Amino acid sequence: MGEQKRKEQSKPEFIFGKKNYKWLFIGLAFIAVGFILMAGGGSDDPNVFDESIFSWRRIRLAPTLVLIGFGIQVYAILTNQKDSDSKK
């Protein structure tokens, strides 16, 4: 009888709920897309300057997506989903 109680009490419990993990993966996707959009823009010839490194996509859009992704990560970590998961 005592062994059965110990097994019930020692069941592994995840720190985050399903919604937390969903938001974590969404944030990771935003960060990955932001870094992908920042890539490129280099020149094959070092003596030739390529203006595409200053494009709107690399200067404004990509860093904004990365910052939004980090914000989503913070939200996913700080959100307490245990109460809503246990109500179901």
Side-chain angles (χ1 to χ4, degrees), residues 12-80:
E13 200 171 306
F14 290 112
I15 296 173
F16 298 126
K18 288 181 183 180
K19 290 184 181 180
N20 291 87
Y21 285 114
K22 180 183 79 170
W23 284 108
L24 281 170
F25 288 125
I26 290 171
L28 283 174
F30 267 81
I31 293 169
V33 169
F35 277 110
I36 289 169
L37 289 176
M38 270 192 255
S43 177
D44 294 333
D45 185 10
N47 296 324
V48 177
F49 183 73
D50 190 7
E51 289 287 331
S52 69
I53 197 165
F54 297 117
S55 69
W56 181 83
R57 181 187 72 170
R58 289 187 180 95
I59 297 295
R60 303 274 187 221
L61 180 63
T64 304
L65 285 176
V66 171
L67 290 175
I68 289 171
F70 285 136
I72 292 172
Q73 294 290 337
V74 169
Y75 171 77
I77 291 170
L78 295 179
T79 302
N80 187 7

